[in-house]
Amino acid sequence: MLPRRRAVRAFGLLLSVVLLVCVAGASIAIGAKDLSLGQVWHGLFEDSGTYGDTVVADRLSRTLLGLLVGAALGLAGAVLQALTRNPLADPGLLGINAGASAAVVTAITFFGVTSLSGYVWFAFCGAAAVGALVWFLGGSRAATPVRLALAGTAISAALYGYLQAIMILDDAALGKMRFWTVGSLAAGDTSTIVQVLPFLLAGSALALLLARPLNAMAMGDDTAKALGANLNRTRALSMLTATVLCGAATAACGPIIFVGLMVPHVVRSFTGPDQRWILPYAAVLSPVLLLGADVIGRIVARPAELQVGIVTAIIGGPVFILLVRRRRTAQL
């Protein structure tokens, strides 16, 4: 029975990869101006500088960024849900998104940063600083899932208060931040991808390596210790992984919500609690959701577009309510 279950999961993962390839293709072909398959092929492999080729090049960068950021958010969400033992946790739970956002507001208001390349490093540093602060306030080596969640919630509230105060007092900051704070792939280019790629690759590799220790932690602290798991090291590495992934993703695209919550939670419903399957599935299906939402945003508001952060929020709100209701029903 066990080999058959593994075969089914492996086949499902393969189908997920095929679905991701299809959605990525749609992301390149569909937009304010639809392109034929011939134009897409010409733009990808026979670039001659025509309008269609330029559009394909721009959409290709946007799609690559969506693939990377989607995988990062899905992996971060899965790791945080395992770390906090809360299937409804998301990357914003530990204040990482708030830290990145507050750092970008500070950069715009007090340092005059206006380019996306400047946002990246401020956002990443803000996420890293908040991650370290949450770990410290949560008890460091004595940290528990509850302490980490409480520390993250408290810091998020304080930082979002600071963010709103600055944006209200500074009209220039409000205008510059309005586009970034909703979460968007539209500004993605090769430069942005190059800057965040090392962090996303390192964080993704670390997340996948944490699968077995996180499985042990899911059985409870005593059982995990009996199995030889180092709880403090696993929690510290999980925090580091989530910080790197969320910080880089938020730096590149702004805060995009619900992707890291919905996908790992849905994946768990058909893979079971084994992180060795949850993490790869989340890394593949999260970009499907993100790129799919981006394509929808381009279609529904033609010739303009809705930013992907708005679309994921519209989709995620009802889904989150449904998940909470199902969880309460199961508990009853």
Side-chain angles (χ1 to χ4, degrees):
M1 185 68 180
L2 188 57
R4 181 180 178 183
R5 182 179 300 176
R6 288 177 179 172
V8 170
R9 289 173 176 172
F11 181 69
L13 188 58
L14 178 61
L15 288 180
S16 299
V17 172
V18 173
L19 177 61
L20 177 59
V21 171
C22 294
V23 173
S27 177
I28 296 173
I30 299 174
K33 175 180 173 58
D34 287 341
L35 302 177
S36 66
L37 291 178
Q39 288 177 305
V40 172
W41 180 269
H42 193 278
L44 289 175
F45 302 107
E46 304 174 19
D47 186 9
S48 60
T50 66
Y51 173 77
D53 295 343
T54 302
V55 171
V56 169
D58 291 342
R59 290 183 188 172
L60 179 60
S61 296
R62 181 171 180 166
T63 300
L64 290 175
L65 184 61
L67 289 171
L68 293 170
V69 169
L73 293 175
L75 287 171
V79 168
L80 289 177
Q81 288 176 12
L83 174 65
T84 60
R85 297 173 191 165
N86 179 0
L88 296 180
D90 75 329
L93 180 66
L94 299 184
I96 297 170
N97 287 349
S101 299
V104 171
V105 170
T106 300
I108 291 174
T109 305
F110 299 109
F111 298 102
V113 177
T114 58
S115 67
L116 185 64
S117 60
Y119 294 166
V120 166
W121 294 105
F122 276 94
F124 185 78
C125 290
V130 169
L133 182 59
V134 168
W135 176 248
F136 174 76
L137 294 178
S140 298
R141 291 184 176 276
T144 63
V146 174
R147 288 181 180 179
L148 291 174
L150 289 175
T153 301
I155 292 173
S156 292
L159 288 178
Y160 278 124
Y162 164 78
L163 188 153
Q164 294 298 323
I166 293 297
M167 292 176 68
I168 289 173
L169 295 175
D170 189 338
D171 291 337
L174 175 61
K176 295 171 184 175
M177 282 294 298
R178 184 170 53 190
F179 180 80
W180 185 83
T181 53
V182 298
S184 173
L185 298 175
D189 55 22
T190 303
S191 175
T192 302
I193 294 173
V194 169
Q195 290 182 72
V196 300
L197 183 60
F199 300 105
L200 294 177
L201 291 179
S204 299
L206 187 55
L208 294 173
L209 290 174
L210 285 170
R212 289 183 181 275
L214 289 173
N215 278 344
M217 284 183 56
M219 300 179 185
D221 290 357
D222 292 338
T223 303
K225 289 179 181 178
L227 293 173
N230 188 320
L231 298 183
N232 291 328
R233 182 177 63 189
T234 301
R235 285 173 180 150
L237 289 176
S238 298
M239 280 290 300
L240 175 63
T241 299
T243 298
V244 170
L245 291 173
C246 292
T250 304
C253 301
I256 297 177
I257 60 175
F258 285 121
V259 174
L261 183 154
M262 285 191 293
V263 176
H265 187 88
V266 172
V267 164
R268 191 180 295 104
S269 67
F270 58 83
T271 64
D274 191 344
Q275 295 297 324
R276 293 174 298 177
W277 289 103
I278 292 175
L279 290 169
Y281 265 100
V284 174
L285 291 178
S286 294
V288 171
L289 173 61
L290 188 62
L291 290 176
D294 192 39
V295 171
I296 291 172
R298 298 181 217 173
I299 294 174
V300 298
R302 284 177 174 174
E305 66 177 64
L306 286 178
Q307 305 308 319
V308 67
I310 298 174
V311 179
T312 58
I314 293 172
I315 297 173
V319 173
F320 180 74
I321 293 173
L322 178 62
L323 294 177
V324 171
R325 287 182 60 86
R326 287 183 58 187
R327 182 170 169 79
R328 288 185 60 186
T329 301
Q331 290 175 341
L332 293 176

